[in-house]
PDB file of all heavy atoms in Angstrom:
ATOM      1  N   THR A  39     -70.133-123.194-150.278  1.00 92.00           N
ATOM      2  CA  THR A  39     -69.666-124.616-150.212  1.00 92.00           C
ATOM      3  C   THR A  39     -68.990-124.917-148.903  1.00 92.00           C
ATOM      4  O   THR A  39     -69.274-125.935-148.302  1.00 92.00           O
ATOM      5  CB  THR A  39     -68.766-124.919-151.395  1.00 92.00           C
ATOM      6  OG1 THR A  39     -69.458-124.716-152.629  1.00 92.00           O
ATOM      7  CG2 THR A  39     -68.293-126.357-151.345  1.00 92.00           C
ATOM      8  N   LEU A  40     -68.114-124.002-148.509  1.00 94.00           N
ATOM      9  CA  LEU A  40     -67.374-124.200-147.275  1.00 94.00           C
ATOM     10  C   LEU A  40     -68.316-124.178-146.046  1.00 94.00           C
ATOM     11  O   LEU A  40     -68.103-124.928-145.080  1.00 94.00           O
ATOM     12  CB  LEU A  40     -66.264-123.146-147.082  1.00 94.00           C
ATOM     13  CG  LEU A  40     -65.126-123.232-148.093  1.00 94.00           C
ATOM     14  CD1 LEU A  40     -64.187-122.023-148.027  1.00 94.00           C
ATOM     15  CD2 LEU A  40     -64.312-124.504-147.830  1.00 94.00           C
ATOM     16  N   ASN A  41     -69.292-123.267-146.050  1.00 94.00           N
ATOM     17  CA  ASN A  41     -70.256-123.206-144.949  1.00 94.00           C
ATOM     18  C   ASN A  41     -71.075-124.527-144.850  1.00 94.00           C
ATOM     19  O   ASN A  41     -71.366-124.995-143.794  1.00 94.00           O
ATOM     20  CB  ASN A  41     -71.208-122.051-145.131  1.00 94.00           C
ATOM     21  CG  ASN A  41     -70.622-120.719-144.607  1.00 94.00           C
ATOM     22  OD1 ASN A  41     -69.925-120.691-143.573  1.00 94.00           O
ATOM     23  ND2 ASN A  41     -70.836-119.639-145.325  1.00 94.00           N
ATOM     24  N   ASN A  42     -71.447-125.060-146.008  1.00 94.00           N
ATOM     25  CA  ASN A  42     -72.135-126.352-146.056  1.00 94.00           C
ATOM     26  C   ASN A  42     -71.234-127.445-145.487  1.00 94.00           C
ATOM     27  O   ASN A  42     -71.727-128.326-144.722  1.00 94.00           O
ATOM     28  CB  ASN A  42     -72.563-126.713-147.482  1.00 94.00           C
ATOM     29  CG  ASN A  42     -73.720-125.909-147.973  1.00 94.00           C
ATOM     30  OD1 ASN A  42     -74.535-125.366-147.154  1.00 94.00           O
ATOM     31  ND2 ASN A  42     -73.853-125.673-149.272  1.00 94.00           N
ATOM     32  N   GLN A  43     -69.971-127.435-145.799  1.00 94.00           N
ATOM     33  CA  GLN A  43     -69.035-128.420-145.299  1.00 94.00           C
ATOM     34  C   GLN A  43     -68.871-128.296-143.796  1.00 94.00           C
ATOM     35  O   GLN A  43     -68.746-129.286-143.070  1.00 94.00           O
ATOM     36  CB  GLN A  43     -67.670-128.282-145.993  1.00 94.00           C
ATOM     37  CG  GLN A  43     -67.707-128.793-147.397  1.00 94.00           C
ATOM     38  CD  GLN A  43     -66.302-128.722-148.051  1.00 94.00           C
ATOM     39  OE1 GLN A  43     -65.350-128.330-147.427  1.00 94.00           O
ATOM     40  NE2 GLN A  43     -66.225-129.167-149.300  1.00 94.00           N
ATOM     41  N   VAL A  44     -68.859-127.074-143.300  1.00 95.00           N
ATOM     42  CA  VAL A  44     -68.782-126.843-141.819  1.00 95.00           C
ATOM     43  C   VAL A  44     -69.962-127.508-141.115  1.00 95.00           C
ATOM     44  O   VAL A  44     -69.844-128.234-140.161  1.00 95.00           O
ATOM     45  CB  VAL A  44     -68.712-125.363-141.477  1.00 95.00           C
ATOM     46  CG1 VAL A  44     -68.994-125.136-140.000  1.00 95.00           C
ATOM     47  CG2 VAL A  44     -67.366-124.755-141.813  1.00 95.00           C
ATOM     48  N   ARG A  45     -71.170-127.258-141.630  1.00 95.00           N
ATOM     49  CA  ARG A  45     -72.379-127.849-141.053  1.00 95.00           C
ATOM     50  C   ARG A  45     -72.353-129.364-141.152  1.00 95.00           C
ATOM     51  O   ARG A  45     -72.773-130.083-140.244  1.00 95.00           O
ATOM     52  CB  ARG A  45     -73.600-127.264-141.761  1.00 95.00           C
ATOM     53  CG  ARG A  45     -73.920-125.820-141.357  1.00 95.00           C
ATOM     54  CD  ARG A  45     -75.286-125.446-141.846  1.00 95.00           C
ATOM     55  NE  ARG A  45     -75.307-125.252-143.302  1.00 95.00           N
ATOM     56  CZ  ARG A  45     -75.016-124.159-143.934  1.00 95.00           C
ATOM     57  NH1 ARG A  45     -74.675-123.054-143.281  1.00 95.00           N
ATOM     58  NH2 ARG A  45     -75.090-124.098-145.281  1.00 95.00           N
ATOM     59  N   GLN A  46     -71.889-129.840-142.316  1.00 96.00           N
ATOM     60  CA  GLN A  46     -71.772-131.288-142.576  1.00 96.00           C
ATOM     61  C   GLN A  46     -70.849-131.978-141.581  1.00 96.00           C
ATOM     62  O   GLN A  46     -71.203-132.985-140.921  1.00 96.00           O
ATOM     63  CB  GLN A  46     -71.297-131.490-143.984  1.00 96.00           C
ATOM     64  CG  GLN A  46     -71.472-132.931-144.462  1.00 96.00           C
ATOM     65  CD  GLN A  46     -71.112-133.047-145.952  1.00 96.00           C
ATOM     66  OE1 GLN A  46     -70.488-132.145-146.511  1.00 96.00           O
ATOM     67  NE2 GLN A  46     -71.471-134.140-146.585  1.00 96.00           N
ATOM     68  N   VAL A  47     -69.666-131.405-141.389  1.00 96.00           N
ATOM     69  CA  VAL A  47     -68.669-132.026-140.468  1.00 96.00           C
ATOM     70  C   VAL A  47     -69.167-131.908-139.037  1.00 96.00           C
ATOM     71  O   VAL A  47     -69.001-132.790-138.233  1.00 96.00           O
ATOM     72  CB  VAL A  47     -67.295-131.351-140.628  1.00 96.00           C
ATOM     73  CG1 VAL A  47     -66.284-131.879-139.616  1.00 96.00           C
ATOM     74  CG2 VAL A  47     -66.740-131.582-142.036  1.00 96.00           C
ATOM     75  N   ARG A  48     -69.786-130.801-138.726  1.00 96.00           N
ATOM     76  CA  ARG A  48     -70.299-130.615-137.321  1.00 96.00           C
ATOM     77  C   ARG A  48     -71.362-131.716-137.072  1.00 96.00           C
ATOM     78  O   ARG A  48     -71.487-132.222-135.947  1.00 96.00           O
ATOM     79  CB  ARG A  48     -70.961-129.224-137.244  1.00 96.00           C
ATOM     80  CG  ARG A  48     -71.447-128.846-135.853  1.00 96.00           C
ATOM     81  CD  ARG A  48     -70.290-128.537-134.912  1.00 96.00           C
ATOM     82  NE  ARG A  48     -69.989-129.599-133.998  1.00 96.00           N
ATOM     83  CZ  ARG A  48     -69.052-129.503-133.114  1.00 96.00           C
ATOM     84  NH1 ARG A  48     -68.296-128.353-133.000  1.00 96.00           N
ATOM     85  NH2 ARG A  48     -68.759-130.518-132.314  1.00 96.00           N
ATOM     86  N   ARG A  49     -72.138-132.029-138.047  1.00 96.00           N
ATOM     87  CA  ARG A  49     -73.176-133.084-137.884  1.00 96.00           C
ATOM     88  C   ARG A  49     -72.528-134.407-137.658  1.00 96.00           C
ATOM     89  O   ARG A  49     -72.967-135.204-136.817  1.00 96.00           O
ATOM     90  CB  ARG A  49     -74.055-133.133-139.148  1.00 96.00           C
ATOM     91  CG  ARG A  49     -75.248-134.074-138.958  1.00 96.00           C
ATOM     92  CD  ARG A  49     -76.143-134.053-140.162  1.00 96.00           C
ATOM     93  NE  ARG A  49     -77.188-135.029-140.005  1.00 96.00           N
ATOM     94  CZ  ARG A  49     -77.565-135.918-140.971  1.00 96.00           C
ATOM     95  NH1 ARG A  49     -76.969-135.837-142.143  1.00 96.00           N
ATOM     96  NH2 ARG A  49     -78.498-136.761-140.792  1.00 96.00           N
ATOM     97  N   TYR A  50     -71.417-134.730-138.364  1.00 96.00           N
ATOM     98  CA  TYR A  50     -70.684-135.969-138.176  1.00 96.00           C
ATOM     99  C   TYR A  50     -70.149-136.026-136.730  1.00 96.00           C
ATOM    100  O   TYR A  50     -70.255-137.078-136.057  1.00 96.00           O
ATOM    101  CB  TYR A  50     -69.563-136.119-139.162  1.00 96.00           C
ATOM    102  CG  TYR A  50     -69.937-136.161-140.583  1.00 96.00           C
ATOM    103  CD1 TYR A  50     -69.137-135.589-141.601  1.00 96.00           C
ATOM    104  CD2 TYR A  50     -71.182-136.717-141.008  1.00 96.00           C
ATOM    105  CE1 TYR A  50     -69.501-135.688-142.895  1.00 96.00           C
ATOM    106  CE2 TYR A  50     -71.561-136.822-142.343  1.00 96.00           C
ATOM    107  CZ  TYR A  50     -70.701-136.247-143.287  1.00 96.00           C
ATOM    108  OH  TYR A  50     -71.062-136.290-144.654  1.00 96.00           O
ATOM    109  N   LEU A  51     -69.621-134.904-136.256  1.00 96.00           N
ATOM    110  CA  LEU A  51     -69.031-134.891-134.914  1.00 96.00           C
ATOM    111  C   LEU A  51     -70.096-135.081-133.813  1.00 96.00           C
ATOM    112  O   LEU A  51     -69.839-135.749-132.850  1.00 96.00           O
ATOM    113  CB  LEU A  51     -68.302-133.561-134.709  1.00 96.00           C
ATOM    114  CG  LEU A  51     -66.984-133.375-135.429  1.00 96.00           C
ATOM    115  CD1 LEU A  51     -66.530-131.895-135.366  1.00 96.00           C
ATOM    116  CD2 LEU A  51     -65.859-134.258-134.780  1.00 96.00           C
ATOM    117  N   ASP A  52     -71.247-134.500-134.082  1.00 95.00           N
ATOM    118  CA  ASP A  52     -72.290-134.469-132.979  1.00 95.00           C
ATOM    119  C   ASP A  52     -73.197-135.697-132.985  1.00 95.00           C
ATOM    120  O   ASP A  52     -73.665-136.148-132.006  1.00 95.00           O
ATOM    121  CB  ASP A  52     -73.111-133.201-133.081  1.00 95.00           C
ATOM    122  CG  ASP A  52     -72.321-131.937-132.736  1.00 95.00           C
ATOM    123  OD1 ASP A  52     -71.222-132.084-132.156  1.00 95.00           O
ATOM    124  OD2 ASP A  52     -72.735-130.845-133.109  1.00 95.00           O
ATOM    125  N   GLU A  53     -73.527-136.172-134.209  1.00 94.00           N
ATOM    126  CA  GLU A  53     -74.617-137.179-134.361  1.00 94.00           C
ATOM    127  C   GLU A  53     -74.118-138.601-134.574  1.00 94.00           C
ATOM    128  O   GLU A  53     -74.922-139.522-134.370  1.00 94.00           O
ATOM    129  CB  GLU A  53     -75.543-136.774-135.532  1.00 94.00           C
ATOM    130  CG  GLU A  53     -76.249-135.439-135.287  1.00 94.00           C
ATOM    131  CD  GLU A  53     -77.187-135.095-136.370  1.00 94.00           C
ATOM    132  OE1 GLU A  53     -77.643-136.006-137.129  1.00 94.00           O
ATOM    133  OE2 GLU A  53     -77.567-133.901-136.539  1.00 94.00           O
ATOM    134  N   MET A  54     -72.839-138.749-134.963  1.00 95.00           N
ATOM    135  CA  MET A  54     -72.356-140.081-135.105  1.00 95.00           C
ATOM    136  C   MET A  54     -72.042-140.712-133.745  1.00 95.00           C
ATOM    137  O   MET A  54     -71.185-140.164-133.049  1.00 95.00           O
ATOM    138  CB  MET A  54     -71.101-140.112-136.031  1.00 95.00           C
ATOM    139  CG  MET A  54     -70.822-141.461-136.645  1.00 95.00           C
ATOM    140  SD  MET A  54     -69.434-141.423-137.785  1.00 95.00           S
ATOM    141  CE  MET A  54     -70.157-140.453-139.140  1.00 95.00           C
ATOM    142  N   PRO A  55     -72.723-141.783-133.376  1.00 96.00           N
ATOM    143  CA  PRO A  55     -72.512-142.336-131.997  1.00 96.00           C
ATOM    144  C   PRO A  55     -71.014-142.718-131.773  1.00 96.00           C
ATOM    145  O   PRO A  55     -70.335-143.132-132.671  1.00 96.00           O
ATOM    146  CB  PRO A  55     -73.404-143.590-132.009  1.00 96.00           C
ATOM    147  CG  PRO A  55     -74.420-143.298-133.035  1.00 96.00           C
ATOM    148  CD  PRO A  55     -73.740-142.509-134.080  1.00 96.00           C
ATOM    149  N   PRO A  56     -70.607-142.545-130.558  1.00 95.00           N
ATOM    150  CA  PRO A  56     -69.157-142.819-130.219  1.00 95.00           C
ATOM    151  C   PRO A  56     -68.713-144.187-130.577  1.00 95.00           C
ATOM    152  O   PRO A  56     -67.542-144.351-131.033  1.00 95.00           O
ATOM    153  CB  PRO A  56     -69.134-142.635-128.644  1.00 95.00           C
ATOM    154  CG  PRO A  56     -70.266-141.742-128.407  1.00 95.00           C
ATOM    155  CD  PRO A  56     -71.332-142.057-129.360  1.00 95.00           C
ATOM    156  N   GLN A  57     -69.539-145.224-130.474  1.00 95.00           N
ATOM    157  CA  GLN A  57     -69.122-146.564-130.841  1.00 95.00           C
ATOM    158  C   GLN A  57     -68.837-146.762-132.275  1.00 95.00           C
ATOM    159  O   GLN A  57     -68.256-147.764-132.695  1.00 95.00           O
ATOM    160  CB  GLN A  57     -70.093-147.609-130.297  1.00 95.00           C
ATOM    161  CG  GLN A  57     -71.516-147.574-130.913  1.00 95.00           C
ATOM    162  CD  GLN A  57     -72.452-146.745-130.169  1.00 95.00           C
ATOM    163  OE1 GLN A  57     -72.132-145.705-129.614  1.00 95.00           O
ATOM    164  NE2 GLN A  57     -73.715-147.171-130.171  1.00 95.00           N
ATOM    165  N   TYR A  58     -69.304-145.834-133.109  1.00 96.00           N
ATOM    166  CA  TYR A  58     -69.102-145.914-134.561  1.00 96.00           C
ATOM    167  C   TYR A  58     -68.144-144.793-135.024  1.00 96.00           C
ATOM    168  O   TYR A  58     -68.134-144.404-136.205  1.00 96.00           O
ATOM    169  CB  TYR A  58     -70.391-145.796-135.294  1.00 96.00           C
ATOM    170  CG  TYR A  58     -71.480-146.772-134.823  1.00 96.00           C
ATOM    171  CD1 TYR A  58     -72.727-146.331-134.481  1.00 96.00           C
ATOM    172  CD2 TYR A  58     -71.191-148.134-134.665  1.00 96.00           C
ATOM    173  CE1 TYR A  58     -73.712-147.230-134.063  1.00 96.00           C
ATOM    174  CE2 TYR A  58     -72.144-148.998-134.227  1.00 96.00           C
ATOM    175  CZ  TYR A  58     -73.407-148.543-133.910  1.00 96.00           C
ATOM    176  OH  TYR A  58     -74.357-149.445-133.428  1.00 96.00           O
ATOM    177  N   GLN A  59     -67.418-144.187-134.100  1.00 95.00           N
ATOM    178  CA  GLN A  59     -66.548-143.115-134.425  1.00 95.00           C
ATOM    179  C   GLN A  59     -65.242-143.179-133.622  1.00 95.00           C
ATOM    180  O   GLN A  59     -65.083-142.663-132.539  1.00 95.00           O
ATOM    181  CB  GLN A  59     -67.229-141.775-134.089  1.00 95.00           C
ATOM    182  CG  GLN A  59     -66.567-140.553-134.666  1.00 95.00           C
ATOM    183  CD  GLN A  59     -67.280-139.255-134.267  1.00 95.00           C
ATOM    184  OE1 GLN A  59     -67.394-138.954-133.095  1.00 95.00           O
ATOM    185  NE2 GLN A  59     -67.777-138.537-135.266  1.00 95.00           N
ATOM    186  N   PRO A  60     -64.236-143.988-134.146  1.00 94.00           N
ATOM    187  CA  PRO A  60     -62.983-144.093-133.446  1.00 94.00           C
ATOM    188  C   PRO A  60     -62.326-142.750-133.174  1.00 94.00           C
ATOM    189  O   PRO A  60     -62.620-141.735-133.898  1.00 94.00           O
ATOM    190  CB  PRO A  60     -62.138-144.954-134.433  1.00 94.00           C
ATOM    191  CG  PRO A  60     -63.139-145.620-135.316  1.00 94.00           C
ATOM    192  CD  PRO A  60     -64.314-144.721-135.434  1.00 94.00           C
ATOM    193  N   LYS A  61     -61.477-142.747-132.233  1.00 94.00           N
ATOM    194  CA  LYS A  61     -60.901-141.444-131.783  1.00 94.00           C
ATOM    195  C   LYS A  61     -60.099-140.773-132.918  1.00 94.00           C
ATOM    196  O   LYS A  61     -60.188-139.561-133.098  1.00 94.00           O
ATOM    197  CB  LYS A  61     -59.959-141.660-130.608  1.00 94.00           C
ATOM    198  CG  LYS A  61     -59.458-140.365-129.936  1.00 94.00           C
ATOM    199  CD  LYS A  61     -58.788-140.625-128.650  1.00 94.00           C
ATOM    200  CE  LYS A  61     -58.414-139.295-127.997  1.00 94.00           C
ATOM    201  NZ  LYS A  61     -57.818-139.393-126.652  1.00 94.00           N
ATOM    202  N   ASP A  62     -59.364-141.551-133.690  1.00 95.00           N
ATOM    203  CA  ASP A  62     -58.570-140.915-134.745  1.00 95.00           C
ATOM    204  C   ASP A  62     -59.445-140.377-135.870  1.00 95.00           C
ATOM    205  O   ASP A  62     -59.150-139.336-136.469  1.00 95.00           O
ATOM    206  CB  ASP A  62     -57.578-141.938-135.342  1.00 95.00           C
ATOM    207  CG  ASP A  62     -58.273-143.082-136.021  1.00 95.00           C
ATOM    208  OD1 ASP A  62     -59.203-143.683-135.440  1.00 95.00           O
ATOM    209  OD2 ASP A  62     -57.867-143.431-137.154  1.00 95.00           O
ATOM    210  N   MET A  63     -60.638-140.997-136.061  1.00 96.00           N
ATOM    211  CA  MET A  63     -61.596-140.510-137.036  1.00 96.00           C
ATOM    212  C   MET A  63     -62.135-139.161-136.606  1.00 96.00           C
ATOM    213  O   MET A  63     -62.280-138.213-137.361  1.00 96.00           O
ATOM    214  CB  MET A  63     -62.730-141.491-137.271  1.00 96.00           C
ATOM    215  CG  MET A  63     -63.732-141.067-138.378  1.00 96.00           C
ATOM    216  SD  MET A  63     -65.178-142.172-138.384  1.00 96.00           S
ATOM    217  CE  MET A  63     -64.460-143.640-139.132  1.00 96.00           C
ATOM    218  N   LYS A  64     -62.522-139.072-135.320  1.00 96.00           N
ATOM    219  CA  LYS A  64     -63.023-137.858-134.797  1.00 96.00           C
ATOM    220  C   LYS A  64     -61.992-136.726-134.783  1.00 96.00           C
ATOM    221  O   LYS A  64     -62.301-135.573-135.080  1.00 96.00           O
ATOM    222  CB  LYS A  64     -63.613-138.088-133.377  1.00 96.00           C
ATOM    223  CG  LYS A  64     -64.375-136.860-132.800  1.00 96.00           C
ATOM    224  CD  LYS A  64     -65.261-137.237-131.684  1.00 96.00           C
ATOM    225  CE  LYS A  64     -66.136-136.086-131.306  1.00 96.00           C
ATOM    226  NZ  LYS A  64     -67.195-136.444-130.317  1.00 96.00           N
ATOM    227  N   MET A  65     -60.763-137.072-134.501  1.00 96.00           N
ATOM    228  CA  MET A  65     -59.658-136.115-134.578  1.00 96.00           C
ATOM    229  C   MET A  65     -59.485-135.522-135.975  1.00 96.00           C
ATOM    230  O   MET A  65     -59.272-134.344-136.181  1.00 96.00           O
ATOM    231  CB  MET A  65     -58.366-136.719-134.068  1.00 96.00           C
ATOM    232  CG  MET A  65     -58.295-136.923-132.529  1.00 96.00           C
ATOM    233  SD  MET A  65     -58.381-135.432-131.611  1.00 96.00           S
ATOM    234  CE  MET A  65     -56.909-134.527-132.186  1.00 96.00           C
ATOM    235  N   TRP A  66     -59.588-136.453-136.968  1.00 96.00           N
ATOM    236  CA  TRP A  66     -59.502-135.998-138.348  1.00 96.00           C
ATOM    237  C   TRP A  66     -60.646-135.043-138.675  1.00 96.00           C
ATOM    238  O   TRP A  66     -60.439-134.019-139.363  1.00 96.00           O
ATOM    239  CB  TRP A  66     -59.520-137.165-139.356  1.00 96.00           C
ATOM    240  CG  TRP A  66     -59.471-136.732-140.763  1.00 96.00           C
ATOM    241  CD1 TRP A  66     -58.384-136.247-141.399  1.00 96.00           C
ATOM    242  CD2 TRP A  66     -60.607-136.629-141.664  1.00 96.00           C
ATOM    243  NE1 TRP A  66     -58.749-135.891-142.707  1.00 96.00           N
ATOM    244  CE2 TRP A  66     -60.138-136.094-142.874  1.00 96.00           C
ATOM    245  CE3 TRP A  66     -61.942-136.960-141.510  1.00 96.00           C
ATOM    246  CZ2 TRP A  66     -60.932-135.926-143.942  1.00 96.00           C
ATOM    247  CZ3 TRP A  66     -62.775-136.766-142.600  1.00 96.00           C
ATOM    248  CH2 TRP A  66     -62.243-136.251-143.825  1.00 96.00           C
TER     249      TRP A  66
END
Side-chain angles (χ1 to χ4, degrees):
T39 300
L40 291 170
N41 277 320
N42 285 336
Q43 288 184 359
V44 165
R45 287 190 289 271
Q46 194 174 13
V47 176
R48 186 74 258 181
R49 187 175 174 227
Y50 299 145
L51 286 168
D52 293 343
E53 297 182 20
M54 200 175 291
Q57 65 266 36
Y58 310 128
Q59 193 182 61
K61 189 169 184 176
D62 65 313
M63 183 189 287
K64 188 159 187 172
M65 286 297 298
W66 177 76

